[in-house]
Structure formats: C-alpha cells, structure tokens
Amino acid sequence: IQYFGIKVVTNVNDAMTWVKVIGLVAFVIITPLLVFHPTNFTPPQSYGGVAPFGVAGVLTASSITVYAYAGFRQPIDYGEEMKNPGKDVPRAVILSLIVSFLIYFSLSVVFLGALNWSVIGTKPYNWTYISTLAAPIPQEFSGKLYTLGVYFFIIAVIATISSTLVYFGSAARVLYANAKNGYMPKAFLKLNNRGVPYVALIISLIIAVVYMIAFPQFLSEASIFSVASVVSYAPAAVSLMVLRKVDSERIRPFKLKFAEVISPLAFAFGGLMIYWASYPTTLYTIASVLVGIPIYLFYEVRYGKLVVLQLKRGAWYVGWLISILIISFLGSFGGIGIIPYPFDLVTVFLVSL
C-alpha cells in the first residue's frame, strides 16, 4: 500500500481508522451491558489492592504505554506534505493524544470490568498471568460471549494494520531523509514513479521482520518500541533550544511558549520514561541505538564531513544513553538494586538535567 503513494495510504488509512474507531466505540458501549464485574476494580489488600505492583508498577506501565500514544508523531513526519503545517501539525498532535487517551482508557475499563478469572484459567487477581496471554481481551470471552471476542479480534487486526501502515511509511521516510543528508546509502534515495522511497521501504520491512523474530511476544515488542520512541523524542527538547539560538531569525509557523522551562523538564522526564521501562529492555533498545553510531561515523569519514567539534558536541547524547543504561543495570527497575528506589529516579533526573 505504501508503494502506491501518500494519497493511497491516506485513503486506505482513513477507511481503516473509521472502522477501528467506530468498532472500538461500539465495543466499549456494548460490552459493559453484557458483562461487568465491579469487584475487579476493588481487589482485596491481600492481593495488592488497586496497585498490586506499587508505584514502580505504575511507572513501568506508563513507560510501556508510550506505544499507545506514538501516533502523535506521524503528523509531524508528514508535515512537509501538508498545506498548512503551522496550524495542522499542532492540531493533529493534540487531537491524536486526546483521542488515544479516551480510547485506551475506555478499553482498559471495559477489559477490567469484563475480566472473568476462571475463563482465562487462573486464580483471581493474578495480574502477572494476564501479561503471558497472547490475546488477553479475546481470550476473556467464551460461551455466549465468544462472538464478542471474535469481533474484538477482527477490530484489533484492522487497528494493527492501520497503525503499522503509518509507522512503516514514517520509518522509510526517516531512512530517506538520512540518505538525503548523507548518512545512509544513496540507494535509499531511489523513488518510484509515485515519489515513494521504495528501497527505504524494503529495508524498513527487513528490519521490522528481524525484530519480530528476535522478540516474538507483543509485550516485549511494545516495550522496546516505546523506549525507542522516547529515545528519539527526548533529544527534540534539546534541539528546540539549540535551534532557537543558532537559527533565531527563521520564521516559525508554530512557536512553543515557555520553551526554556518545558524543554529541560521534557528531556529529564524522557530519561525517566526510558529508565522506567526496566532492565533489560533498556539494554536491548539503547544497544540498538548505539549500533547506528558507527554507521553515522562511517559516512562522515567517507564524505569528508567528519569534524572533531561535531563529535564533541554530540558526545553528550551517547554519554547520556550509556549513563541511563548503567543506572538501569544498577537500579531497582529490573536491575540489581544497588541504587535503591527512589534514589535511582533522582539520579536519572539529575543526570538528564
């Protein structure tokens, strides 16, 4: 679908988006009418209460759920192809965050209310067991509600294809942009007759398949994707302030207010969200990012663009990632616990600042 250009992608994605949104809204409305267990919202303290994994569990979950909100980036990636990016991009970003929150929050409430522990084959309030299920929501429906589970499974497949379609195109365009800047093979610049970087599409597909084989469980993939997203988003906060200084005269269709305060805090919380994903997820993701540095250096040297000053100015980012990884290994979120909670969080925050 991506091969046939942005118009085809937009039309197909619009159709699937309407199907999945209407389908999910219908699911959220209908399911509580058929099955709802209020006791699931008030588990006994002997089972851990409403927060069985404590504050650490909430923080880890918040890090993983970045995956659910990652769609806000796509309007930015496609901004160059918009007629009025100054207005369209901010509106699309804010709207995508609000809609995503409402949908996922509603689904979480419905899922928890419909949860029947005996149906999924475990004792009550065994939250850890749920993460081992291949498809938790469809699997919680059986008997007369089996059709409802199948219905949701179909909607989930459509939603997955829709999201993958957009992310796949974004990944290819990132490779294309890097090649255009001289940091990837020139073959990535090849376009088909519809202006689509088809070589970059193929490479993106290969990389995606490799990661799917290496991490077959959805939760592992979602965790790594979420951390990788934050790793790529966080430096944007720093870049914003740098560009405000080195390119202050540029006309900006949209200018963020109070950036001097928001940017450092955003970067610091980005470091925390990476850390909250827990070790060894941090290891897998940060290692994948660091692998790209030799590729970058290779093209710098090959095209004679390598400048010692650039290396010095960019070394902080590598040092920051390695610091987060070391703290993750030594900390309380999946690490060996040498740095106890909450001092590990304070350490990450201060290191990021």
Side-chain angles (χ1 to χ4, degrees):
I1 296 174
Q2 280 285 350
Y3 184 86
F4 293 102
I6 187 67
K7 289 186 178 180
V8 174
V9 171
T10 300
N11 292 334
V12 173
N13 188 61
D14 285 348
M16 288 193 292
T17 298
W18 279 111
V19 170
K20 69 181 181 183
V21 169
I22 294 174
L24 290 174
V25 170
F27 180 81
V28 167
I29 294 174
I30 295 173
T31 303
L33 300 177
L34 300 176
V35 55
F36 194 78
H37 306 289
T39 55
N40 287 338
F41 294 90
T42 56
Q45 287 298 323
S46 58
Y47 289 94
V50 295
F53 300 106
V55 176
V58 175
L59 297 178
T60 299
S62 68
S63 176
I64 296 176
T65 53
V66 171
Y67 176 83
Y69 298 93
F72 82 88
R73 176 177 172 172
Q74 272 54 57
I76 301 173
D77 291 339
Y78 288 90
E80 192 175 2
E81 302 173 51
M82 293 182 180
K83 293 182 179 180
N84 190 358
K87 292 184 178 180
D88 294 339
V89 170
R91 289 173 180 173
V93 169
I94 294 173
L95 184 61
S96 67
L97 291 174
I98 294 174
V99 172
S100 296
F101 170 77
L102 292 176
I103 290 177
Y104 282 101
F105 177 78
S106 301
L107 280 175
S108 298
V109 172
V110 170
F111 168 72
L112 187 57
L115 191 59
N116 188 323
W117 299 99
S118 62
V119 170
I120 62 176
T122 187
K123 60 183 180 180
Y125 311 113
N126 185 5
W127 306 108
T128 304
Y129 177 78
I130 297 176
S131 64
T132 65
L133 299 176
I137 294 183
Q139 287 180 238
E140 72 174 335
F141 298 106
S142 64
K144 295 180 179 180
L145 299 177
Y146 175 77
T147 303
L148 190 61
V150 174
Y151 164 80
F152 181 82
F153 181 78
I154 294 173
I155 297 299
V157 170
I158 295 174
T160 302
I161 294 175
S162 174
S163 299
T164 303
L165 177 64
V166 177
Y167 294 141
F168 187 49
S170 296
R173 283 161 177 79
V174 169
L175 289 178
Y176 174 81
N178 277 299
K180 194 173 182 180
N181 292 330
Y183 298 123
M184 286 289 174
K186 291 184 178 180
F188 291 178
L189 295 175
K190 292 183 179 179
L191 306 175
N192 62 13
N193 58 357
R194 296 176 181 267
V196 177
Y198 67 94
V199 175
L201 280 175
I202 296 173
I203 298 300
S204 297
L205 176 62
I206 294 174
I207 294 174
V209 171
V210 169
Y211 270 86
M212 288 180 65
I213 294 174
F215 305 99
Q217 288 191 338
F218 176 78
L219 184 59
S220 298
E221 291 179 1
S223 301
I224 293 174
F225 181 87
S226 296
V227 176
S229 298
V230 178
V231 168
S232 66
Y233 298 155
V238 178
S239 300
L240 172 62
M241 298 311 302
V242 171
L243 291 173
R244 287 280 179 93
K245 291 185 177 181
V246 302
D247 195 12
S248 58
E249 300 301 321
R250 180 179 294 274
I251 299 175
R252 292 174 167 83
F254 174 79
K255 190 172 183 178
L256 180 67
K257 296 180 180 180
F258 308 110
E260 297 80 3
V261 176
I262 296 175
S263 291
L265 290 177
F267 184 73
F269 277 101
L272 285 172
M273 296 197 75
I274 295 172
Y275 176 74
W276 292 336
S278 300
Y279 191 88
T281 299
T282 50
L283 172 62
Y284 300 145
T285 310
I286 293 177
S288 298
V289 174
L290 295 179
V291 165
I293 295 178
I295 299 175
Y296 167 81
L297 294 177
F298 171 78
Y299 282 97
E300 286 280 313
V301 174
R302 182 177 181 181
Y303 293 108
K305 298 186 296 181
L306 185 63
V307 179
V308 176
L309 182 60
Q310 291 179 343
L311 293 178
K312 289 182 178 180
R313 288 178 174 176
W316 70 269
Y317 180 61
V318 178
W320 177 67
L321 288 177
I322 294 176
S323 298
I324 297 292
L325 180 57
I326 293 174
I327 299 171
S328 180
F329 176 71
L330 298 176
S332 62
F333 283 70
I336 58 179
I338 292 180
I339 306 178
Y341 175 88
F343 297 104
D344 50 349
L345 304 186
V346 175
T347 304
V348 172
F349 191 83
L350 293 178
V351 166
S352 299
L353 286 179

